[in-house]
Amino acid sequence: MSVLIKNGRIITAADDYTADIFITGETIAAIGRNLSVSAEQVIDAKGLLVMPGGVDPHVHLDMPFMGTFSSDTHETGTRAALFGGTTTVIDFVLQKQGHSLHEALTEWNKRARGTAVGDYSFHMAVTDYNENTKQEIREMIEQEGITSFKTFMAYKGALMIDDRQMTALMQEVKKQGGLVTVHATNGDMIDYLVAKHKSEGKLAPLYHYLSQPEVTEAEASARFTDIANYTGCPGYIVHLTCEGALNAVRNATRRNQKVFVETCIQYLLLDASLYEKDFEGAKWVMSPPLREPKDQATLWAGINQGLVQVVATDHCPFKWEQKLMGRNDFSKIPNGHPAIEHRMELLFSEGVNKGKISLNKYVEVACTNPARIFGMFPRKGTIAVGSDADIILINPQEKHTLSVSSHHMNVDYSAYEGKELTGKVKTVLLRGKIAIDRNTCQVAKGYGQFIKRNKIVQTG
Ligand code: URP
Ligand code: ZN
Ligand code: ZN
């Protein structure tokens, strides 16, 4: 199978030029002006932007959590991702406390293999670090191509590890060539505030927000950064939301330390005023919670300063009936919200089209950096000869409106209902195949491949 994309304006993290792209099989074979090749399929991209497929390194598909499962499977979630221009996602395998990493991986493989529509990889969440787990770190990296290890400094009793485990894990991961990622919030402080609010009869979603003040994230981010510095292990903070936490990372740069930072699209665009909508606020109950406009400003600036390298989603959808589990108690509302489908278009519309970030920065934070940081570059995350032909075509001026009635995620509400965007993903290629065109998905369940990742190279 061969495809020729003609006359497109190609944007990568570094370049902006007009050329044709010739694809044979799954990869890009040639890029040049007026290529004289014959192809089985020709796409005229005049007037469109041609960019690498998006890489979302933070999604939770079919994940057991807070007494239920996130509602998108690997099939529905990766298909929805494709509709929005994300061709590769990294999902989280959760070790069960008292069990091995391999057991968890077997479980997740059963869910994802043969069902994913788009490409995917796994982070391994280490929730119980001990001598057995230590042995498994090397095997995950060398045999399974899983090179990043997720830790939680919150969710005590289910997912949280303590600082003793964190230090030991980081030493081992550094030795084996991996990266430790972290949900950096102070679990004990949060648990205290949750209990306090409940004892005072404060049970609405607003108290989810008030139980996780900025200091809980700033403190944990600084602590994680210090442990990463001590151990020398590459570190990555997931879903960073606020000024205090980003300042902890900014401070670390003064000792020439690099900690990677991911924020998520919702923290750039939505704010905590949504928790004032009584129980409807449950739609945005996630951890950390949405913050304040001043934090949004800090995050946009952080992207342009190079302090925030990645914009992800933390896609963790729950249907309304699942959210209702916390009708009378905010601490029982499953944490998470749907976003996998909308990240690329939201960031384009609100970031690029509103002049907050450049086109190159857009590709950098949504495609290239996640691929590079997590050991998939240059196979993923760029447009270059030899790379996978994961390519999206965007009409930069087309307007459309987000709604539950038109999205493809398996969830019965939209976190962005009625929001009008400028910039629409028109065509998506995944490994050389047209996956999305004319608003239909043209690849089947099972087309998505597991992407083994390389060891982590700490870049500047
Ligand atoms: O609220 C969230 N973020 N749910 C998913 C689990 C996590 O903490 O990332
Ligand atoms: Zn988290
Ligand atoms: Zn998450």
Short mmCIF file of all heavy atoms in Angstrom, two decimals, residues 387-416:
data_model
loop_
_atom_site.label_atom_id
_atom_site.label_comp_id
_atom_site.label_asym_id
_atom_site.label_seq_id
_atom_site.Cartn_x
_atom_site.Cartn_y
_atom_site.Cartn_z
N SER A 387 10.14 7.32 9.86
CA SER A 387 9.19 7.31 10.99
C SER A 387 7.90 6.61 10.58
O SER A 387 7.57 6.53 9.39
CB SER A 387 8.85 8.75 11.41
OG SER A 387 9.99 9.40 11.91
N ASP A 388 7.16 6.13 11.56
CA ASP A 388 5.83 5.60 11.27
C ASP A 388 5.01 6.71 10.59
O ASP A 388 5.09 7.88 10.99
CB ASP A 388 5.11 5.19 12.56
CG ASP A 388 5.53 3.81 13.03
OD1 ASP A 388 6.42 3.20 12.39
OD2 ASP A 388 4.98 3.34 14.04
N ALA A 389 4.22 6.31 9.61
CA ALA A 389 3.37 7.30 8.93
C ALA A 389 2.12 7.54 9.76
O ALA A 389 1.01 7.13 9.40
CB ALA A 389 3.05 6.84 7.52
N ASP A 390 2.31 8.18 10.91
CA ASP A 390 1.22 8.63 11.78
C ASP A 390 1.09 10.12 11.52
O ASP A 390 1.91 10.93 11.98
CB ASP A 390 1.57 8.42 13.26
CG ASP A 390 1.79 6.97 13.63
OD1 ASP A 390 1.52 6.09 12.81
OD2 ASP A 390 2.25 6.73 14.77
N ILE A 391 0.08 10.48 10.77
CA ILE A 391 0.01 11.86 10.26
C ILE A 391 -1.42 12.36 10.37
O ILE A 391 -2.37 11.62 10.10
CB ILE A 391 0.46 11.87 8.77
CG1 ILE A 391 1.95 11.46 8.68
CG2 ILE A 391 0.25 13.25 8.14
CD1 ILE A 391 2.46 11.30 7.27
N ILE A 392 -1.56 13.63 10.78
CA ILE A 392 -2.90 14.21 10.82
C ILE A 392 -2.97 15.44 9.91
O ILE A 392 -1.99 16.16 9.75
CB ILE A 392 -3.34 14.58 12.26
CG1 ILE A 392 -2.47 15.67 12.86
CG2 ILE A 392 -3.33 13.35 13.14
CD1 ILE A 392 -2.95 16.14 14.24
N LEU A 393 -4.14 15.63 9.33
CA LEU A 393 -4.39 16.80 8.48
C LEU A 393 -5.44 17.65 9.19
O LEU A 393 -6.54 17.17 9.48
CB LEU A 393 -4.91 16.36 7.11
CG LEU A 393 -3.86 15.99 6.04
CD1 LEU A 393 -2.96 14.86 6.50
CD2 LEU A 393 -4.55 15.61 4.75
N ILE A 394 -5.07 18.90 9.47
CA ILE A 394 -5.98 19.80 10.18
C ILE A 394 -6.40 20.94 9.28
O ILE A 394 -5.55 21.57 8.63
CB ILE A 394 -5.29 20.39 11.45
CG1 ILE A 394 -5.01 19.28 12.47
CG2 ILE A 394 -6.13 21.50 12.07
CD1 ILE A 394 -4.51 19.78 13.81
N ASN A 395 -7.71 21.21 9.26
CA ASN A 395 -8.18 22.45 8.64
C ASN A 395 -8.16 23.51 9.74
O ASN A 395 -8.95 23.45 10.68
CB ASN A 395 -9.59 22.28 8.10
CG ASN A 395 -10.11 23.57 7.46
OD1 ASN A 395 -9.60 24.65 7.74
ND2 ASN A 395 -11.10 23.44 6.60
N PRO A 396 -7.24 24.49 9.65
CA PRO A 396 -7.04 25.39 10.79
C PRO A 396 -8.19 26.36 11.05
O PRO A 396 -8.27 26.92 12.14
CB PRO A 396 -5.76 26.16 10.42
CG PRO A 396 -5.65 26.04 8.94
CD PRO A 396 -6.31 24.76 8.54
N GLN A 397 -9.07 26.54 10.08
CA GLN A 397 -10.13 27.54 10.25
C GLN A 397 -11.52 26.93 10.39
O GLN A 397 -12.48 27.67 10.63
CB GLN A 397 -10.11 28.55 9.09
CG GLN A 397 -8.86 29.42 9.05
CD GLN A 397 -8.52 30.07 10.40
OE1 GLN A 397 -9.40 30.38 11.19
NE2 GLN A 397 -7.23 30.23 10.66
N GLU A 398 -11.65 25.63 10.25
CA GLU A 398 -12.99 25.03 10.31
C GLU A 398 -13.53 25.08 11.74
O GLU A 398 -12.87 24.69 12.69
CB GLU A 398 -12.96 23.57 9.81
CG GLU A 398 -14.35 22.97 9.75
CD GLU A 398 -14.37 21.62 9.03
OE1 GLU A 398 -13.59 21.43 8.07
OE2 GLU A 398 -15.17 20.76 9.44
N LYS A 399 -14.77 25.52 11.85
CA LYS A 399 -15.39 25.62 13.18
C LYS A 399 -16.23 24.38 13.45
O LYS A 399 -16.85 23.82 12.53
CB LYS A 399 -16.27 26.86 13.25
CG LYS A 399 -15.47 28.16 13.21
CD LYS A 399 -16.32 29.32 13.69
CE LYS A 399 -15.62 30.65 13.48
NZ LYS A 399 -14.31 30.76 14.12
N HIS A 400 -16.26 23.95 14.69
CA HIS A 400 -17.14 22.84 15.09
C HIS A 400 -17.41 22.94 16.58
O HIS A 400 -16.72 23.69 17.30
CB HIS A 400 -16.54 21.48 14.71
CG HIS A 400 -15.22 21.19 15.37
ND1 HIS A 400 -15.05 20.20 16.29
CD2 HIS A 400 -14.01 21.79 15.24
CE1 HIS A 400 -13.79 20.17 16.69
NE2 HIS A 400 -13.14 21.13 16.07
N THR A 401 -18.40 22.18 17.04
CA THR A 401 -18.83 22.30 18.43
C THR A 401 -18.74 20.94 19.13
O THR A 401 -19.18 19.93 18.58
CB THR A 401 -20.30 22.80 18.46
OG1 THR A 401 -20.33 24.05 17.75
CG2 THR A 401 -20.79 23.04 19.87
N LEU A 402 -18.17 20.94 20.31
CA LEU A 402 -18.03 19.67 21.06
C LEU A 402 -19.34 19.34 21.77
O LEU A 402 -20.00 20.22 22.33
CB LEU A 402 -16.90 19.79 22.10
CG LEU A 402 -15.53 20.15 21.54
CD1 LEU A 402 -14.49 20.15 22.66
CD2 LEU A 402 -15.11 19.20 20.42
N SER A 403 -19.69 18.06 21.72
CA SER A 403 -20.95 17.65 22.37
C SER A 403 -20.97 16.15 22.59
O SER A 403 -20.37 15.38 21.83
CB SER A 403 -22.13 18.03 21.46
OG SER A 403 -23.32 17.48 22.00
N VAL A 404 -21.70 15.76 23.62
CA VAL A 404 -21.90 14.33 23.87
C VAL A 404 -22.60 13.67 22.68
O VAL A 404 -22.42 12.47 22.42
CB VAL A 404 -22.69 14.12 25.18
CG1 VAL A 404 -24.11 14.70 25.10
CG2 VAL A 404 -22.77 12.64 25.55
N SER A 405 -23.37 14.45 21.93
CA SER A 405 -24.13 13.85 20.83
C SER A 405 -23.23 13.52 19.63
O SER A 405 -23.64 12.79 18.74
CB SER A 405 -25.26 14.78 20.40
OG SER A 405 -24.70 15.99 19.96
N SER A 406 -22.02 14.06 19.61
CA SER A 406 -21.15 13.77 18.45
C SER A 406 -19.81 13.14 18.85
O SER A 406 -19.06 12.70 17.98
CB SER A 406 -20.91 15.05 17.64
OG SER A 406 -20.45 16.08 18.49
N HIS A 407 -19.49 13.09 20.14
CA HIS A 407 -18.18 12.51 20.47
C HIS A 407 -18.23 10.98 20.39
O HIS A 407 -19.31 10.38 20.29
CB HIS A 407 -17.63 13.05 21.79
CG HIS A 407 -18.23 12.51 23.05
ND1 HIS A 407 -18.26 13.24 24.22
CD2 HIS A 407 -18.81 11.32 23.37
CE1 HIS A 407 -18.81 12.52 25.18
NE2 HIS A 407 -19.16 11.35 24.68
N HIS A 408 -17.05 10.37 20.43
CA HIS A 408 -16.96 8.91 20.25
C HIS A 408 -16.50 8.20 21.52
O HIS A 408 -16.31 6.98 21.51
CB HIS A 408 -16.00 8.61 19.09
CG HIS A 408 -16.45 9.24 17.80
ND1 HIS A 408 -16.15 10.54 17.47
CD2 HIS A 408 -17.24 8.76 16.81
CE1 HIS A 408 -16.71 10.83 16.30
NE2 HIS A 408 -17.37 9.78 15.89
N MET A 409 -16.33 8.94 22.59
CA MET A 409 -15.92 8.32 23.86
C MET A 409 -17.12 7.63 24.49
O MET A 409 -18.27 8.07 24.30
CB MET A 409 -15.37 9.40 24.80
CG MET A 409 -14.14 10.11 24.24
SD MET A 409 -13.55 11.49 25.25
CE MET A 409 -14.74 12.76 24.89
N ASN A 410 -16.85 6.57 25.23
CA ASN A 410 -17.95 5.81 25.84
C ASN A 410 -18.34 6.44 27.17
O ASN A 410 -18.09 5.89 28.24
CB ASN A 410 -17.52 4.35 26.03
CG ASN A 410 -18.66 3.51 26.58
OD1 ASN A 410 -19.82 3.73 26.23
ND2 ASN A 410 -18.33 2.57 27.45
N VAL A 411 -18.94 7.61 27.08
CA VAL A 411 -19.35 8.33 28.28
C VAL A 411 -20.51 9.23 27.90
O VAL A 411 -20.54 9.77 26.79
CB VAL A 411 -18.15 9.10 28.90
CG1 VAL A 411 -17.55 10.10 27.93
CG2 VAL A 411 -18.51 9.77 30.20
N ASP A 412 -21.46 9.37 28.83
CA ASP A 412 -22.74 10.00 28.47
C ASP A 412 -22.83 11.47 28.85
O ASP A 412 -23.92 11.99 29.08
CB ASP A 412 -23.90 9.20 29.07
CG ASP A 412 -23.73 8.94 30.55
OD1 ASP A 412 -22.70 9.40 31.12
OD2 ASP A 412 -24.59 8.28 31.17
N TYR A 413 -21.70 12.13 28.95
CA TYR A 413 -21.70 13.60 29.05
C TYR A 413 -20.39 14.10 28.47
O TYR A 413 -19.44 13.32 28.29
CB TYR A 413 -21.87 14.08 30.50
CG TYR A 413 -20.71 13.77 31.40
CD1 TYR A 413 -19.63 14.64 31.50
CD2 TYR A 413 -20.67 12.59 32.14
CE1 TYR A 413 -18.55 14.35 32.30
CE2 TYR A 413 -19.60 12.30 32.95
CZ TYR A 413 -18.53 13.18 33.03
OH TYR A 413 -17.46 12.88 33.82
N SER A 414 -20.36 15.38 28.15
CA SER A 414 -19.12 15.98 27.68
C SER A 414 -18.66 16.99 28.72
O SER A 414 -19.48 17.74 29.27
CB SER A 414 -19.33 16.70 26.34
OG SER A 414 -18.17 17.43 26.01
N ALA A 415 -17.37 17.01 28.98
CA ALA A 415 -16.82 18.01 29.90
C ALA A 415 -16.76 19.39 29.23
O ALA A 415 -16.48 20.39 29.89
CB ALA A 415 -15.43 17.58 30.35
N TYR A 416 -17.04 19.41 27.92
CA TYR A 416 -16.93 20.65 27.14
C TYR A 416 -18.19 20.89 26.32
O TYR A 416 -18.12 21.42 25.21
CB TYR A 416 -15.71 20.57 26.20
CG TYR A 416 -14.39 20.46 26.92
CD1 TYR A 416 -13.84 19.21 27.21
CD2 TYR A 416 -13.70 21.59 27.33
CE1 TYR A 416 -12.63 19.10 27.89
CE2 TYR A 416 -12.49 21.50 27.99
CZ TYR A 416 -11.97 20.25 28.28
OH TYR A 416 -10.78 20.16 28.94
#
